[in-house]
Amino acid sequence: MQISLFPRSWKTALTRLILLGGTGFFLLACGGSGGSSGTAATGEGLFTVSGEITFAANTAIDSDVNDPEAPYAANDLFDPANGLIDLDLVQRVSSLVTLGGYVNLPGEGAPGRSFADGDISDFFVADLTAGQTITLNAAESGTNIDLYLFIDQDFDRPVASSTNANGEKELIRLDSSGTYFIEVRAVSGASAYTLNLTAAADGLQADAFAIANDFVPGEVIVAFNDGGVRGNSAGLVSAGMTPMGLTHKAGEPGRAMLFGLTGATSNMQARPRLSLTPESGPPLALDPELRRKLQTLTVISELRNRADVAYAEPNYIRRIQRTPSDALFQRQWHYPLINLPQAWDTTTGNPGVIVAVIDTGVLFEHPDLSGRLTATGYDFVSDPESALDGDLTIDPDPSDAGAQNPGTSIFHGSHVAGTIAAQTDNGTGVAGAGWSTRIMPVRA
């Protein structure tokens, strides 16, 4: 197959290609790149890729992906023939699974099976236990997909939701055990996604735009762009806050401000987005706090789509917890899947532990590897066609030759070394699994 190098990360591009292509494969991250063996340039920006893809345990794929050549089974919950709920259409998955899927609004995304009519929702059912987490990661930035959770076949009343306006990550943690129905819903655009059901872990904090987060229902924090509110608080009316169902509670223009929700307006906004009941239907029979939190997140999602709003957030209740300060840590979504933040509460590693990384060598000058490498290492590559470092003998310099020969390496050894032991909690780069662990680089 040929892959065009899109102007996005290779991992997102490949995920989108694989899922939309309907091959039944999707990527399970080791935190970064894959091997380059078997690749050859065939033209500017195009490469031929050969090799093998293997499935990890507990993987699955959405049964109605966009590829018209892929096997198909509807999982939309509603039977289009009569408009009624049909539980036979819900796709059952195991309680611990990583699943690749695709949703789109009508006319959005790549041409294929669901382009014209849309595939707005995918429904899955699983028997889950208290403490488990459900994580949804979108492949396409700028596309909004939401996550909803139902129990007891009551599809008018989600017991939990995650409706991050940015749409790239949603997370729900279960409070109780039961048979749950999980809905992945397209709010705008089209996107491939990865849905992860992971084991219970004490102390895990939902870091997405989730109802499970600890925040004050009925309060939002808003900051405006330069074109937003100026002057005294009376200017809030001109910025459209009152029609949004918000009243000014604290803060002044030029800085973040606290607003409170008025019940009637925020309830009207919540219903269409969540499709909980018809507009003329009876009041929602939700727990009062749950209902208020749903309204709060819905209004914040609408605020985030306004041109005059720099950012809008819930009024989170924050508690002290250990989280590394590295700038790119929030992008390392695979760390929570193996409960690394919980492990760091117990230990961040030991400098007496040395891990030998047998790979492509390392970039010694990489700032995240400074002080993390042992004084000794080795280069076992002596074949002239493979060494590419001008040294045709086995030698004690495991530098990645890609530094001298651009385009010949993906610096996989540096990536693996960083995943294991990058400098951590230093405000820059990525976090390593072992904050004090050291690396012995071996080029092979």
Side-chain angles (χ1 to χ4, degrees), residues 41-60:
T42 60
E44 183 176 356
L46 294 175
F47 293 84
T48 297
V49 179
S50 63
E52 294 182 355
I53 299 178
T54 58
F55 284 99
N58 297 325
T59 60

Side-chain angles (χ1 to χ4, degrees), residues 93-168:
V93 295
S94 64
S95 60
L96 297 174
V97 68
T98 298
L99 179 145
Y102 177 80
V103 288
N104 69 294
L105 295 183
E108 298 284 349
R113 175 187 286 131
S114 64
F115 176 79
D117 295 331
D119 179 15
I120 298 176
S121 292
D122 288 336
F123 278 87
F124 308 96
V125 61
D127 298 320
L128 306 176
T129 57
Q132 280 197 251
T133 58
I134 305 171
T135 308
L136 175 66
N137 290 280
E140 294 289 347
S141 61
T143 296
N144 195 346
I145 59 177
D146 287 348
L147 181 63
Y148 296 89
L149 195 64
F150 306 88
I151 198 168
D152 296 331
Q153 302 177 25
D154 190 351
F155 298 106
D156 287 333
R157 304 170 186 173
V159 296
S161 71
S162 181
T163 55
N164 192 340
N166 296 329
E168 294 186 8

Side-chain angles (χ1 to χ4, degrees), residues 172-256:
I172 293 173
R173 186 181 184 191
L174 302 183
D175 293 328
S176 59
S177 302
T179 299
Y180 286 91
F181 293 85
I182 304 163
E183 180 187 6
V184 177
R185 183 185 304 183
V187 177
S188 65
S191 183
Y193 63 82
T194 302
L195 182 71
N196 294 283
L197 309 186
T198 55
D202 292 338
L204 180 63
Q205 298 292 320
D207 60 354
F209 193 57
I211 197 171
N213 281 340
D214 198 3
F215 62 89
V216 180
E219 291 187 354
V220 301
I221 296 174
V222 185
F224 295 93
N225 292 312
D226 290 341
V229 178
R230 289 293 179 267
N232 58 37
S233 59
L236 298 175
V237 175
S238 64
M241 295 299 99
T242 298
M244 288 287 294
L246 299 174
T247 56
H248 180 225
K249 298 184 69 174
E252 297 298 330
R255 54 172 293 183

Side-chain angles (χ1 to χ4, degrees), residues 17 41 59 63 79 115-116 129 162-163 167 172 231 286 298 303 314 322 352 359-360 367 376 423 436:
L17 173 72
T59 60
S63 63
D79 184 345
F115 176 79
T129 57
S162 181
T163 55
I172 293 173
L286 294 174
T298 301
L303 283 169
R322 190 160 195 177
D359 210 294
T360 64
T376 58
Q423 284 201 46
S436 302

Side-chain angles (χ1 to χ4, degrees), residues 16-51:
R16 180 175 183 272
L17 173 72
I18 289 169
L19 285 171
L20 297 188
T23 64
F25 297 129
F26 54 94
L27 296 181
L28 303 180
C30 68
S33 59
S36 61
S37 175
T39 65
T42 60
E44 183 176 356
L46 294 175
F47 293 84
T48 297
V49 179
S50 63

Side-chain angles (χ1 to χ4, degrees), residues 1 23 92 120 175 184 199 209 256 309 362 393 440:
M1 62 179 173
T23 64
R92 177 164 282 278
I120 298 176
D175 293 328
V184 177
F209 193 57
V309 171
V362 296
T393 62
M440 176 185 289

Side-chain angles (χ1 to χ4, degrees), residues 244 315 339 353 361 394:
M244 288 287 294
N315 188 8
N339 300 326
V353 175
I394 295 175

